[in-house]
Amino acid sequence: MSLDQSPEARRRRAGLPNGSRPPFRANGSPNPGAHGTGSNNPGIGAAQAAARAELRRRRASAYRHLRAPRKRGRVLRIVLIAITLFAAIGAGTVGAVFAGYNAYKGQLPDAATITNMEPEIDTDVYDNAGGLIHVFHNESYRHIHVDLTQIAPYFKDAIVAIEDHNFYNEGSWDLARLVESGIADVTHRGASLQGGSTITEQLAKISLYGGADPPQSIDYKIKEIVLGNEIALNFTKDEILDMYVNRIFYGNFAVGVGSAAELYFHVPADKVDLAQASMLAGLPQSPTSYNPLLYSGDETINPVAKSRQKAVLQAMQASGYITQAEGIAAYNEKLTVYSYATSEPNYDPDFISYLETYLNANFPEYASPGGYEIHTTIDQAKQNLAQSTVTKLVSGERVKENMGDGALVSLDPQNGEVLAMVGTWNYSDPYFGQVNEAAAVQLNMGSTTKLFTYTAAIASTKFTMTTPILDDYFKFPIPGSAPYSPYDDDRHTHGVCPLKMCLGDSFNIPAVKTEYATGTQYIANTELAMGVSSLDQNCGPDGQYVNWPTPDQWAATLGSLTCGITLLDLADGAATLGDLGVQHNPMPVTSIVAQQTGKPVWTYNPAAAGRQVIPANVAYIMDEITSNDNNRIREFGRNGYLTLNPRRVSAKTGTADYFMDNLTVGWTPNLLTAVWVGNPQRSCLQQKDVPAMKAAIARGHIVEAGEVDYTYPFSPNDLAKYGLKPAHPSDPECGHLDGVVSGYSGAAPIWHAYMSAALKGVPDTWYKEPADVVAVSTGQGFDDSDFYLPGTQPGASTNCTYKGPTPLPTETCTYAGPNAAPPPPTTSPSPNPSPSPNPTPPILPTPPPH
């Protein structure tokens, strides 16, 4: 369709009124195309000027109207082109970013494994009443894990408010903080680089570098962001916060809020109040600067830490967690903070050292920090009593008797549980205080070893408690060497004594004669079965010195072994007699519990652990011999240190060669205690004085008869007679005991004092006589019965019987107990029965030499 080209139509399209002529230009030219600037019609009026202005307005409007659609189309095309370009560029960029993200992700730990990166959790050690006595922890830190639900809400609010107040509303990283931090890092504003990390990123940082300072680099920051993002994708906010508050460092060896609460305030994390929580929450930013313990003068807390606490309280108020009044009250609350030393349990160090050894040998998986509760057998009341008793009596005799040290072990003989252990009179002693003489040192047990000799002798049926033995000198042969000639401690002989009195008075020669007839190997195996495991433990740097006695090592019954045995083993062996022949290995642990689950991973079962290694009747006879005060009157008198009248108690003393070691072991059915006193170092002679001593002895200058050469255990008093001084004059922990000449006067007073107090209020009980024991009354009143294995009593016939629960291989009489074989079926007698032969008596053992 063509446009109307008539003048009128053109005027309409131009916006002119109908019938109007084209306006003249200002110069009056009738030619609309003229370009003159002047006017040939100066008389033009205002109306014409107005008309021209209107025309221009309408033309401009029409132009804009016609051009607008064309402009929008152009802009749209530009936008589409830009989008296309950015899309092309963006696709490459996104691909590159995605590839880079995955490349960094591949260098990082799997976020799902972050839960396994918690520091080693402390293992708590408790006594038998549930009191905390020690903590096994990493050398560099202590760490208690506390679930977020078990942390005081005050602390959760405080840590979020001061560390990351948008934590529950933001992603894994905060762009504004990150940009601000980045600008500061690039421009190096401030003395140190700023942090822009959220709690999630800080958890990522801990997971990447633990407690170490991370490198300040873009590469590291990208890794932190990537891992933080992965953590955010794998865990809830509460799970992230739980891991974070349990892994950050609060100073003074405390990792995690649980450790910090216990360390600084001695309260669990769920019991901290607002003041304590705000103090703790301020520490992670700079544990050294904000250390609450850095104060002096009249201050009670580090003023810088106090200022930080104020900032935390203000942040909590700004976040709406507390009111201003609550914040002011918390800030004004006086806090008492404790040092690491006072927060570290350090009870019963000798028992703890023994416990560590036991765990490493039997439960290595629980011996290190790992989040366990180890419930021990230690009775804190008995432990405190034992320590105070040993310390008091040893300290009173240290100089006068040259009694440098003492040790004590107390067991429950019914189950082997270690109730008390004192390894030294003073754990802080600068020379030997931290040597555990109770469990870690093999000692000469002296005459206490006779317990095992006589137990084996009676079990062998070669001896009874009334077998007469001549206490007179005898030379015991040793092939290839001079014979062994023992003597009694008082250097006298005492004629014939029944075995019960030879043992009670602790005469040496009868003990060696009994050993000679019974056999050293039989006795040693009996001893080992009774729990004396150190008998089979060698000594020396490479274990080159054999402790097990040779067949002709006759001094073994007097305690003279190459290495000796431990006090704990002596106690355990005697405890076998105390439980009528049932042996329990010494037990320091009742249960081990996993903290995370609260479930036991191991529990002690005494019934399953016990083993009948000695016949009950043999053990009972030994209990009767060692508890009868009549058997030791000659050497120890009546009602002395080895009695607990009116309570019945078994006891035996021991004294090592040269009076080096003094011992006493004794028991009731429910408590056994072994005590040692002596010196950790054999001789006080200094190495530099050895030539002088050799020369003096060569000249015949002998102070005591036993000084064969310079190896004699010289005491400080001995050296003074030679004009010499010991290495530590003020600490007599070397040489033999001076005034104490037996276990009775050395260790027995400690044993008596401890047992008397420990058994106070405990019912007085004694053993029930086994059914397979033959009692023969002597008619002498006090403890007038002697006890025998069936068939070994005086005048026993060959047709004797015994009852008991089961038949025993050591018995010579016929077993008639409940498990006896049924008699053969009866048959009708023959008309002329043949006479039965007389019974043939068994061959009795060869009597021992007297």
Side-chain angles (χ1 to χ4, degrees), residues 683-686 689 693 701 703 707 710 712-727 734 736 738:
S683 175
C684 295
L685 182 65
Q686 299 186 63
D689 295 329
M693 182 60 72
H701 187 177
V703 174
E707 296 176 25
Y710 71 95
Y712 180 80
F714 295 100
S715 70
N717 286 335
D718 295 335
L719 295 181
K721 297 172 184 178
Y722 288 95
L724 303 175
K725 293 182 179 180
C734 54
H736 63 79
D738 284 330

PDB file of all heavy atoms in Angstrom, residues 683-686 689 693 701 703 707 710 712-727 734 736 738:
ATOM      1  N   SER A 683      76.530 -50.771  98.833  1.00  0.00           N
ATOM      2  CA  SER A 683      77.640 -50.301  99.655  1.00  0.00           C
ATOM      3  C   SER A 683      77.744 -48.780  99.579  1.00  0.00           C
ATOM      4  O   SER A 683      77.410 -48.167  98.560  1.00  0.00           O
ATOM      5  CB  SER A 683      78.952 -50.929  99.194  1.00  0.00           C
ATOM      6  OG  SER A 683      80.056 -50.386  99.908  1.00  0.00           O
ATOM      7  N   CYS A 684      78.219 -48.189 100.681  1.00  0.00           N
ATOM      8  CA  CYS A 684      78.452 -46.742 100.711  1.00  0.00           C
ATOM      9  C   CYS A 684      79.848 -46.374 100.225  1.00  0.00           C
ATOM     10  O   CYS A 684      80.182 -45.187 100.134  1.00  0.00           O
ATOM     11  CB  CYS A 684      78.277 -46.208 102.135  1.00  0.00           C
ATOM     12  SG  CYS A 684      76.597 -46.366 102.785  1.00  0.00           S
ATOM     13  N   LEU A 685      80.670 -47.380  99.946  1.00  0.00           N
ATOM     14  CA  LEU A 685      82.048 -47.114  99.524  1.00  0.00           C
ATOM     15  C   LEU A 685      82.059 -46.444  98.151  1.00  0.00           C
ATOM     16  O   LEU A 685      81.506 -46.966  97.185  1.00  0.00           O
ATOM     17  CB  LEU A 685      82.839 -48.422  99.471  1.00  0.00           C
ATOM     18  CG  LEU A 685      84.321 -48.319  99.098  1.00  0.00           C
ATOM     19  CD1 LEU A 685      85.087 -47.557 100.168  1.00  0.00           C
ATOM     20  CD2 LEU A 685      84.909 -49.711  98.878  1.00  0.00           C
ATOM     21  N   GLN A 686      82.719 -45.277  98.074  1.00  0.00           N
ATOM     22  CA  GLN A 686      82.840 -44.575  96.801  1.00  0.00           C
ATOM     23  C   GLN A 686      83.932 -45.227  95.951  1.00  0.00           C
ATOM     24  O   GLN A 686      84.923 -45.751  96.472  1.00  0.00           O
ATOM     25  CB  GLN A 686      83.174 -43.103  97.044  1.00  0.00           C
ATOM     26  CG  GLN A 686      82.109 -42.356  97.833  1.00  0.00           C
ATOM     27  CD  GLN A 686      82.407 -40.876  97.924  1.00  0.00           C
ATOM     28  OE1 GLN A 686      82.451 -40.179  96.900  1.00  0.00           O
ATOM     29  NE2 GLN A 686      82.611 -40.385  99.137  1.00  0.00           N
ATOM     30  N   ASP A 689      87.503 -44.537  96.593  1.00  0.00           N
ATOM     31  CA  ASP A 689      88.101 -45.042  97.827  1.00  0.00           C
ATOM     32  C   ASP A 689      88.368 -46.543  97.788  1.00  0.00           C
ATOM     33  O   ASP A 689      88.842 -47.120  98.788  1.00  0.00           O
ATOM     34  CB  ASP A 689      87.192 -44.729  99.022  1.00  0.00           C
ATOM     35  CG  ASP A 689      87.067 -43.240  99.276  1.00  0.00           C
ATOM     36  OD1 ASP A 689      88.042 -42.520  98.989  1.00  0.00           O
ATOM     37  OD2 ASP A 689      86.005 -42.804  99.756  1.00  0.00           O
ATOM     38  N   MET A 693      90.544 -48.976 100.462  1.00  0.00           N
ATOM     39  CA  MET A 693      89.896 -50.062 101.188  1.00  0.00           C
ATOM     40  C   MET A 693      90.611 -51.385 100.935  1.00  0.00           C
ATOM     41  O   MET A 693      90.815 -52.195 101.860  1.00  0.00           O
ATOM     42  CB  MET A 693      88.429 -50.164 100.791  1.00  0.00           C
ATOM     43  CG  MET A 693      87.659 -51.249 101.539  1.00  0.00           C
ATOM     44  SD  MET A 693      87.645 -51.002 103.339  1.00  0.00           S
ATOM     45  CE  MET A 693      86.540 -49.589 103.453  1.00  0.00           C
ATOM     46  N   HIS A 701      93.230 -54.849 108.379  1.00  0.00           N
ATOM     47  CA  HIS A 701      92.333 -53.914 109.056  1.00  0.00           C
ATOM     48  C   HIS A 701      90.887 -54.315 108.714  1.00  0.00           C
ATOM     49  O   HIS A 701      90.302 -53.836 107.752  1.00  0.00           O
ATOM     50  CB  HIS A 701      92.610 -52.478 108.609  1.00  0.00           C
ATOM     51  CG  HIS A 701      91.840 -51.459 109.395  1.00  0.00           C
ATOM     52  ND1 HIS A 701      91.991 -50.112 109.198  1.00  0.00           N
ATOM     53  CD2 HIS A 701      90.918 -51.585 110.402  1.00  0.00           C
ATOM     54  CE1 HIS A 701      91.194 -49.456 110.017  1.00  0.00           C
ATOM     55  NE2 HIS A 701      90.541 -50.343 110.768  1.00  0.00           N
ATOM     56  N   VAL A 703      87.011 -54.503 110.074  1.00  0.00           N
ATOM     57  CA  VAL A 703      86.080 -53.991 111.073  1.00  0.00           C
ATOM     58  C   VAL A 703      85.093 -55.063 111.494  1.00  0.00           C
ATOM     59  O   VAL A 703      84.794 -55.231 112.676  1.00  0.00           O
ATOM     60  CB  VAL A 703      85.336 -52.750 110.543  1.00  0.00           C
ATOM     61  CG1 VAL A 703      84.266 -52.307 111.527  1.00  0.00           C
ATOM     62  CG2 VAL A 703      86.325 -51.626 110.287  1.00  0.00           C
ATOM     63  N   GLU A 707      83.949 -58.995 106.246  1.00  0.00           N
ATOM     64  CA  GLU A 707      84.627 -58.167 105.255  1.00  0.00           C
ATOM     65  C   GLU A 707      85.732 -58.960 104.569  1.00  0.00           C
ATOM     66  O   GLU A 707      86.915 -58.811 104.880  1.00  0.00           O
ATOM     67  CB  GLU A 707      85.191 -56.908 105.908  1.00  0.00           C
ATOM     68  CG  GLU A 707      84.125 -55.984 106.478  1.00  0.00           C
ATOM     69  CD  GLU A 707      84.731 -54.792 107.194  1.00  0.00           C
ATOM     70  OE1 GLU A 707      85.870 -54.427 106.868  1.00  0.00           O
ATOM     71  OE2 GLU A 707      84.079 -54.243 108.093  1.00  0.00           O
ATOM     72  N   TYR A 710      86.669 -55.694  99.356  1.00  0.00           N
ATOM     73  CA  TYR A 710      86.059 -54.361  99.266  1.00  0.00           C
ATOM     74  C   TYR A 710      84.592 -54.398  98.831  1.00  0.00           C
ATOM     75  O   TYR A 710      83.901 -53.378  98.851  1.00  0.00           O
ATOM     76  CB  TYR A 710      86.855 -53.488  98.285  1.00  0.00           C
ATOM     77  CG  TYR A 710      86.704 -53.895  96.840  1.00  0.00           C
ATOM     78  CD1 TYR A 710      85.766 -53.269  96.026  1.00  0.00           C
ATOM     79  CD2 TYR A 710      87.479 -54.920  96.301  1.00  0.00           C
ATOM     80  CE1 TYR A 710      85.611 -53.658  94.708  1.00  0.00           C
ATOM     81  CE2 TYR A 710      87.337 -55.306  94.997  1.00  0.00           C
ATOM     82  CZ  TYR A 710      86.391 -54.677  94.188  1.00  0.00           C
ATOM     83  OH  TYR A 710      86.235 -55.047  92.886  1.00  0.00           O
ATOM     84  N   TYR A 712      82.181 -55.841 100.361  1.00  0.00           N
ATOM     85  CA  TYR A 712      81.308 -55.909 101.538  1.00  0.00           C
ATOM     86  C   TYR A 712      80.371 -54.696 101.544  1.00  0.00           C
ATOM     87  O   TYR A 712      80.781 -53.596 101.159  1.00  0.00           O
ATOM     88  CB  TYR A 712      82.168 -55.928 102.802  1.00  0.00           C
ATOM     89  CG  TYR A 712      81.405 -55.999 104.088  1.00  0.00           C
ATOM     90  CD1 TYR A 712      80.896 -57.205 104.555  1.00  0.00           C
ATOM     91  CD2 TYR A 712      81.206 -54.848 104.851  1.00  0.00           C
ATOM     92  CE1 TYR A 712      80.188 -57.262 105.746  1.00  0.00           C
ATOM     93  CE2 TYR A 712      80.500 -54.898 106.057  1.00  0.00           C
ATOM     94  CZ  TYR A 712      79.986 -56.104 106.493  1.00  0.00           C
ATOM     95  OH  TYR A 712      79.302 -56.164 107.677  1.00  0.00           O
ATOM     96  N   PRO A 713      79.118 -54.861 101.986  1.00  0.00           N
ATOM     97  CA  PRO A 713      78.175 -53.728 101.985  1.00  0.00           C
ATOM     98  C   PRO A 713      78.442 -52.751 103.121  1.00  0.00           C
ATOM     99  O   PRO A 713      77.734 -52.712 104.129  1.00  0.00           O
ATOM    100  CB  PRO A 713      76.816 -54.414 102.143  1.00  0.00           C
ATOM    101  CG  PRO A 713      77.105 -55.671 102.878  1.00  0.00           C
ATOM    102  CD  PRO A 713      78.450 -56.130 102.381  1.00  0.00           C
ATOM    103  N   PHE A 714      79.471 -51.936 102.965  1.00  0.00           N
ATOM    104  CA  PHE A 714      79.877 -51.003 104.008  1.00  0.00           C
ATOM    105  C   PHE A 714      78.789 -49.959 104.271  1.00  0.00           C
ATOM    106  O   PHE A 714      78.248 -49.357 103.349  1.00  0.00           O
ATOM    107  CB  PHE A 714      81.172 -50.286 103.609  1.00  0.00           C
ATOM    108  CG  PHE A 714      82.362 -51.197 103.498  1.00  0.00           C
ATOM    109  CD1 PHE A 714      82.796 -51.660 102.266  1.00  0.00           C
ATOM    110  CD2 PHE A 714      83.030 -51.610 104.643  1.00  0.00           C
ATOM    111  CE1 PHE A 714      83.884 -52.500 102.169  1.00  0.00           C
ATOM    112  CE2 PHE A 714      84.133 -52.455 104.549  1.00  0.00           C
ATOM    113  CZ  PHE A 714      84.554 -52.912 103.311  1.00  0.00           C
ATOM    114  N   SER A 715      78.539 -49.729 105.549  1.00  0.00           N
ATOM    115  CA  SER A 715      77.613 -48.672 105.962  1.00  0.00           C
ATOM    116  C   SER A 715      78.414 -47.402 106.246  1.00  0.00           C
ATOM    117  O   SER A 715      79.651 -47.438 106.311  1.00  0.00           O
ATOM    118  CB  SER A 715      76.858 -49.104 107.222  1.00  0.00           C
ATOM    119  OG  SER A 715      77.744 -49.137 108.339  1.00  0.00           O
ATOM    120  N   PRO A 716      77.746 -46.269 106.447  1.00  0.00           N
ATOM    121  CA  PRO A 716      78.491 -45.046 106.797  1.00  0.00           C
ATOM    122  C   PRO A 716      79.314 -45.221 108.070  1.00  0.00           C
ATOM    123  O   PRO A 716      80.432 -44.686 108.171  1.00  0.00           O
ATOM    124  CB  PRO A 716      77.378 -44.009 106.984  1.00  0.00           C
ATOM    125  CG  PRO A 716      76.275 -44.483 106.093  1.00  0.00           C
ATOM    126  CD  PRO A 716      76.319 -45.973 106.192  1.00  0.00           C
ATOM    127  N   ASN A 717      78.781 -45.963 109.062  1.00  0.00           N
ATOM    128  CA  ASN A 717      79.543 -46.187 110.295  1.00  0.00           C
ATOM    129  C   ASN A 717      80.792 -47.014 110.034  1.00  0.00           C
ATOM    130  O   ASN A 717      81.851 -46.777 110.636  1.00  0.00           O
ATOM    131  CB  ASN A 717      78.664 -46.877 111.336  1.00  0.00           C
ATOM    132  CG  ASN A 717      77.640 -45.933 111.934  1.00  0.00           C
ATOM    133  OD1 ASN A 717      77.839 -44.716 111.946  1.00  0.00           O
ATOM    134  ND2 ASN A 717      76.535 -46.491 112.424  1.00  0.00           N
ATOM    135  N   ASP A 718      80.672 -47.998 109.124  1.00  0.00           N
ATOM    136  CA  ASP A 718      81.849 -48.802 108.763  1.00  0.00           C
ATOM    137  C   ASP A 718      82.932 -47.904 108.162  1.00  0.00           C
ATOM    138  O   ASP A 718      84.119 -47.995 108.514  1.00  0.00           O
ATOM    139  CB  ASP A 718      81.482 -49.889 107.761  1.00  0.00           C
ATOM    140  CG  ASP A 718      80.526 -50.916 108.336  1.00  0.00           C
ATOM    141  OD1 ASP A 718      80.507 -51.085 109.564  1.00  0.00           O
ATOM    142  OD2 ASP A 718      79.790 -51.542 107.553  1.00  0.00           O
ATOM    143  N   LEU A 719      82.549 -47.067 107.233  1.00  0.00           N
ATOM    144  CA  LEU A 719      83.525 -46.224 106.534  1.00  0.00           C
ATOM    145  C   LEU A 719      84.187 -45.241 107.488  1.00  0.00           C
ATOM    146  O   LEU A 719      85.373 -44.902 107.326  1.00  0.00           O
ATOM    147  CB  LEU A 719      82.840 -45.466 105.394  1.00  0.00           C
ATOM    148  CG  LEU A 719      82.281 -46.321 104.250  1.00  0.00           C
ATOM    149  CD1 LEU A 719      81.664 -45.426 103.183  1.00  0.00           C
ATOM    150  CD2 LEU A 719      83.371 -47.190 103.629  1.00  0.00           C
ATOM    151  N   ALA A 720      83.410 -44.780 108.462  1.00  0.00           N
ATOM    152  CA  ALA A 720      83.985 -43.832 109.422  1.00  0.00           C
ATOM    153  C   ALA A 720      85.160 -44.455 110.169  1.00  0.00           C
ATOM    154  O   ALA A 720      86.129 -43.764 110.525  1.00  0.00           O
ATOM    155  CB  ALA A 720      82.904 -43.373 110.396  1.00  0.00           C
ATOM    156  N   LYS A 721      85.099 -45.749 110.402  1.00  0.00           N
ATOM    157  CA  LYS A 721      86.196 -46.440 111.089  1.00  0.00           C
ATOM    158  C   LYS A 721      87.439 -46.532 110.220  1.00  0.00           C
ATOM    159  O   LYS A 721      88.530 -46.798 110.711  1.00  0.00           O
ATOM    160  CB  LYS A 721      85.734 -47.823 111.516  1.00  0.00           C
ATOM    161  CG  LYS A 721      84.591 -47.787 112.534  1.00  0.00           C
ATOM    162  CD  LYS A 721      84.013 -49.165 112.795  1.00  0.00           C
ATOM    163  CE  LYS A 721      82.813 -49.082 113.727  1.00  0.00           C
ATOM    164  NZ  LYS A 721      82.189 -50.407 113.958  1.00  0.00           N
ATOM    165  N   TYR A 722      87.251 -46.336 108.916  1.00  0.00           N
ATOM    166  CA  TYR A 722      88.397 -46.316 107.998  1.00  0.00           C
ATOM    167  C   TYR A 722      88.785 -44.893 107.620  1.00  0.00           C
ATOM    168  O   TYR A 722      89.665 -44.671 106.787  1.00  0.00           O
ATOM    169  CB  TYR A 722      88.056 -47.083 106.722  1.00  0.00           C
ATOM    170  CG  TYR A 722      87.973 -48.579 106.896  1.00  0.00           C
ATOM    171  CD1 TYR A 722      86.753 -49.196 107.135  1.00  0.00           C
ATOM    172  CD2 TYR A 722      89.118 -49.372 106.814  1.00  0.00           C
ATOM    173  CE1 TYR A 722      86.652 -50.564 107.290  1.00  0.00           C
ATOM    174  CE2 TYR A 722      89.033 -50.745 106.977  1.00  0.00           C
ATOM    175  CZ  TYR A 722      87.791 -51.345 107.207  1.00  0.00           C
ATOM    176  OH  TYR A 722      87.721 -52.700 107.369  1.00  0.00           O
ATOM    177  N   GLY A 723      88.096 -43.916 108.195  1.00  0.00           N
ATOM    178  CA  GLY A 723      88.369 -42.523 107.853  1.00  0.00           C
ATOM    179  C   GLY A 723      87.805 -42.124 106.509  1.00  0.00           C
ATOM    180  O   GLY A 723      88.265 -41.141 105.916  1.00  0.00           O
ATOM    181  N   LEU A 724      86.802 -42.842 106.029  1.00  0.00           N
ATOM    182  CA  LEU A 724      86.205 -42.557 104.727  1.00  0.00           C
ATOM    183  C   LEU A 724      84.775 -42.049 104.894  1.00  0.00           C
ATOM    184  O   LEU A 724      84.137 -42.258 105.927  1.00  0.00           O
ATOM    185  CB  LEU A 724      86.215 -43.821 103.854  1.00  0.00           C
ATOM    186  CG  LEU A 724      87.574 -44.470 103.602  1.00  0.00           C
ATOM    187  CD1 LEU A 724      87.418 -45.779 102.835  1.00  0.00           C
ATOM    188  CD2 LEU A 724      88.501 -43.513 102.863  1.00  0.00           C
ATOM    189  N   LYS A 725      84.262 -41.389 103.852  1.00  0.00           N
ATOM    190  CA  LYS A 725      82.913 -40.850 103.880  1.00  0.00           C
ATOM    191  C   LYS A 725      82.073 -41.461 102.758  1.00  0.00           C
ATOM    192  O   LYS A 725      82.594 -41.724 101.672  1.00  0.00           O
ATOM    193  CB  LYS A 725      82.937 -39.326 103.732  1.00  0.00           C
ATOM    194  CG  LYS A 725      83.568 -38.597 104.905  1.00  0.00           C
ATOM    195  CD  LYS A 725      83.504 -37.088 104.706  1.00  0.00           C
ATOM    196  CE  LYS A 725      84.115 -36.366 105.903  1.00  0.00           C
ATOM    197  NZ  LYS A 725      84.057 -34.884 105.726  1.00  0.00           N
ATOM    198  N   PRO A 726      80.776 -41.637 103.014  1.00  0.00           N
ATOM    199  CA  PRO A 726      79.894 -42.145 101.952  1.00  0.00           C
ATOM    200  C   PRO A 726      79.611 -41.074 100.917  1.00  0.00           C
ATOM    201  O   PRO A 726      79.921 -39.887 101.124  1.00  0.00           O
ATOM    202  CB  PRO A 726      78.626 -42.535 102.707  1.00  0.00           C
ATOM    203  CG  PRO A 726      78.613 -41.626 103.896  1.00  0.00           C
ATOM    204  CD  PRO A 726      80.059 -41.417 104.272  1.00  0.00           C
ATOM    205  N   ALA A 727      79.041 -41.466  99.824  1.00  0.00           N
ATOM    206  CA  ALA A 727      78.763 -40.519  98.733  1.00  0.00           C
ATOM    207  C   ALA A 727      77.749 -39.470  99.154  1.00  0.00           C
ATOM    208  O   ALA A 727      77.858 -38.306  98.794  1.00  0.00           O
ATOM    209  CB  ALA A 727      78.267 -41.278  97.508  1.00  0.00           C
ATOM    210  N   CYS A 734      72.607 -46.538 101.645  1.00  0.00           N
ATOM    211  CA  CYS A 734      73.602 -47.482 101.159  1.00  0.00           C
ATOM    212  C   CYS A 734      74.124 -48.304 102.328  1.00  0.00           C
ATOM    213  O   CYS A 734      74.056 -47.895 103.488  1.00  0.00           O
ATOM    214  CB  CYS A 734      74.749 -46.741 100.468  1.00  0.00           C
ATOM    215  SG  CYS A 734      75.501 -45.446 101.481  1.00  0.00           S
ATOM    216  N   HIS A 736      74.707 -51.943 104.707  1.00  0.00           N
ATOM    217  CA  HIS A 736      73.825 -52.790 105.507  1.00  0.00           C
ATOM    218  C   HIS A 736      73.186 -51.992 106.630  1.00  0.00           C
ATOM    219  O   HIS A 736      73.614 -50.880 106.960  1.00  0.00           O
ATOM    220  CB  HIS A 736      74.616 -53.976 106.073  1.00  0.00           C
ATOM    221  CG  HIS A 736      75.718 -53.558 107.006  1.00  0.00           C
ATOM    222  ND1 HIS A 736      75.500 -53.193 108.318  1.00  0.00           N
ATOM    223  CD2 HIS A 736      77.056 -53.443 106.809  1.00  0.00           C
ATOM    224  CE1 HIS A 736      76.634 -52.880 108.889  1.00  0.00           C
ATOM    225  NE2 HIS A 736      77.611 -53.013 107.999  1.00  0.00           N
ATOM    226  N   ASP A 738      72.516 -51.109 110.403  1.00  0.00           N
ATOM    227  CA  ASP A 738      73.448 -51.153 111.520  1.00  0.00           C
ATOM    228  C   ASP A 738      72.836 -51.774 112.772  1.00  0.00           C
ATOM    229  O   ASP A 738      73.331 -52.767 113.280  1.00  0.00           O
ATOM    230  CB  ASP A 738      73.944 -49.743 111.849  1.00  0.00           C
ATOM    231  CG  ASP A 738      74.979 -49.247 110.845  1.00  0.00           C
ATOM    232  OD1 ASP A 738      75.701 -50.087 110.292  1.00  0.00           O
ATOM    233  OD2 ASP A 738      75.036 -48.034 110.600  1.00  0.00           O
TER     234      ASP A 738
END
